[in-house]
Amino acid sequence: MAAKQLKFYWSPQFQLFSCDGAKLEGHGFIQTNPSHDLVHLFIAANGNMPWQPVESREQTCFAEYNAVLLEHLLVNCFNAAVLGSMAPEQIVPEARKFLKWFVSEHYAPFPVSEEEAFRRFAEHLDIERIVRLFPYFYSLRAWECFSPDYRAETYDLEFTSEDDPVREAPEWAADPNILETQELVRQKLSEAVAEAGSIRPKPEPVFLPTSSASPLSDPPAKTRQKKTGLGFKPARAR
C-alpha cells in the first residue's frame, strides 16, 4: 500500500491539516492543542477510521472519538513515563473513563455506545504504525509541557504514514526517554485492543465521501518538520 502523505500546519491564526489531498482548514483562534490536532493525522495515517470532523454529525462524532481516545492513550503514556504523574496501570482505564463522559455527555447523543465506539476503534487500530509515528507526538507534547508560550508558536510538519523517526534520527534513537515511552505506547495500545476484543461487534456506519476542503469543527492540527531528528520545535512565524 502506498504511503499516505500528511501535512500539519498549526499557528494561532491559521491551521491546515491534510492527508493525500483531503484537507481541514481553520482560520483564527483554535481551542485545541497542537498535539490533539496532530493525532487527527495519526488517525488518517492509520487508515480505515474516520479522521475528519466534517460532512455529517455522525462522522464528526466518530472522528473526534477516535482522535480523543488515541490522544488520551498517548498523553497518559507520556505522563506515566516522562512526568511520573500517572501509574502505568491507569493509562487505559483513565482514557476509557474520559471517553465514557465524552460519549454520554460531551457529544450526546452519540451514534453508538462508548463500548461499541471503543470496539470499532480497536478493530482498525494499526498499533505498529502509531508506535512508529509516536516520536512526532512525543516531541510536540514535550514542547507543550515545558514551553509556557507554546500556543503562541507556529508548528509545521510534513511526514508520511511509513515514517520511522527513530530510525531516521540518530538523536532520537539515542534518547532512552523516547524509546521507553514508545515501548509503553506499544504495550498500552495492545492492552486496549485486547480489552476491546471481548466486545461483540455491531453494524458499521456508512459514511459519504468527504470533500477535499472543509472548515474545522473541533480542531485538528498540523506541523511540518524536516526529518533531521531535532524534535518538534516551533517554526518561524509566517
Side-chain angles (χ1 to χ4, degrees):
M1 182 181 295
K4 296 180 183 294
Q5 304 295 316
L6 303 125
K7 296 183 180 181
F8 173 87
Y9 181 84
W10 194 103
S11 77
Q13 301 80 26
F14 176 69
Q15 305 83 37
L16 171 64
F17 319 122
S18 71
C19 174
D20 290 342
K23 298 179 182 179
L24 287 169
E25 291 185 279
H27 299 269
F29 176 79
I30 193 169
Q31 292 185 337
T32 54
N33 281 336
S35 58
H36 168 81
D37 299 328
L38 180 62
V39 171
H40 272 277
L41 284 186
F42 278 20
I43 296 295
N46 183 94
N48 299 316
M49 286 195 278
W51 69 276
Q52 295 173 292
V54 295
E55 293 299 335
S56 69
R57 185 182 187 280
E58 183 171 90
Q59 175 159 319
T60 295
C61 285
F62 283 104
E64 289 298 338
Y65 179 92
N66 293 335
V68 171
L69 176 54
L70 182 57
E71 175 192 13
H72 273 72
L73 290 169
L74 299 184
V75 166
N76 289 354
C77 286
F78 183 93
N79 290 346
V82 180
L83 304 181
S85 60
M86 175 177 286
E89 58 269 22
Q90 293 179 301
I91 290 171
V92 176
E94 286 299 314
R96 289 291 308 281
K97 180 180 178 181
F98 184 87
L99 270 296
K100 287 175 182 176
W101 167 85
F102 182 89
V103 166
S104 65
E105 297 185 38
H106 188 58
Y107 261 75
F110 204 81
V112 298
S113 68
E114 189 279 331
E115 189 176 63
E116 173 63 9
F118 178 57
R119 188 200 66 78
R120 294 179 186 183
F121 169 89
E123 180 181 38
H124 298 294
L125 186 65
D126 186 334
I127 294 174
E128 290 307 313
R129 178 163 294 173
I130 299 301
V131 169
R132 275 195 291 101
L133 297 176
F134 173 72
Y136 291 140
F137 179 90
Y138 178 103
S139 185
L140 181 54
R141 185 60 185 162
W143 190 263
E144 291 175 348
C145 288
F146 302 117
S147 174
D149 299 323
Y150 75 90
R151 288 189 61 85
E153 304 286 359
T154 296
Y155 305 89
D156 193 16
L157 172 68
E158 291 182 353
F159 63 105
T160 81
S161 58
E162 300 305 313
D163 276 14
D164 191 341
V166 166
R167 287 183 179 273
E168 296 166 1
E171 299 94 326
W172 285 1
D175 188 335
N177 290 327
I178 290 179
L179 300 181
E180 290 171 9
T181 310
Q182 194 176 34
E183 182 55 34
L184 183 61
V185 168
R186 177 180 284 104
Q187 294 172 11
K188 293 304 173 179
L189 293 185
S190 298
E191 180 182 316
V193 168
E195 182 177 321
S198 62
I199 300 172
R200 294 183 63 183
K202 296 181 181 178
E204 293 278 353
V206 176
F207 297 110
L208 295 175
T210 60
S211 59
S212 60
S214 307
L216 290 175
S217 72
D218 268 339
K222 207 158 273 205
T223 326
R224 175 164 76 202
Q225 166 187 314
K226 307 301 179 185
K227 299 174 186 175
T228 58
L230 298 179
F232 235 117
K233 299 293 190 296
R236 292 183 177 275
R238 297 184 173 185

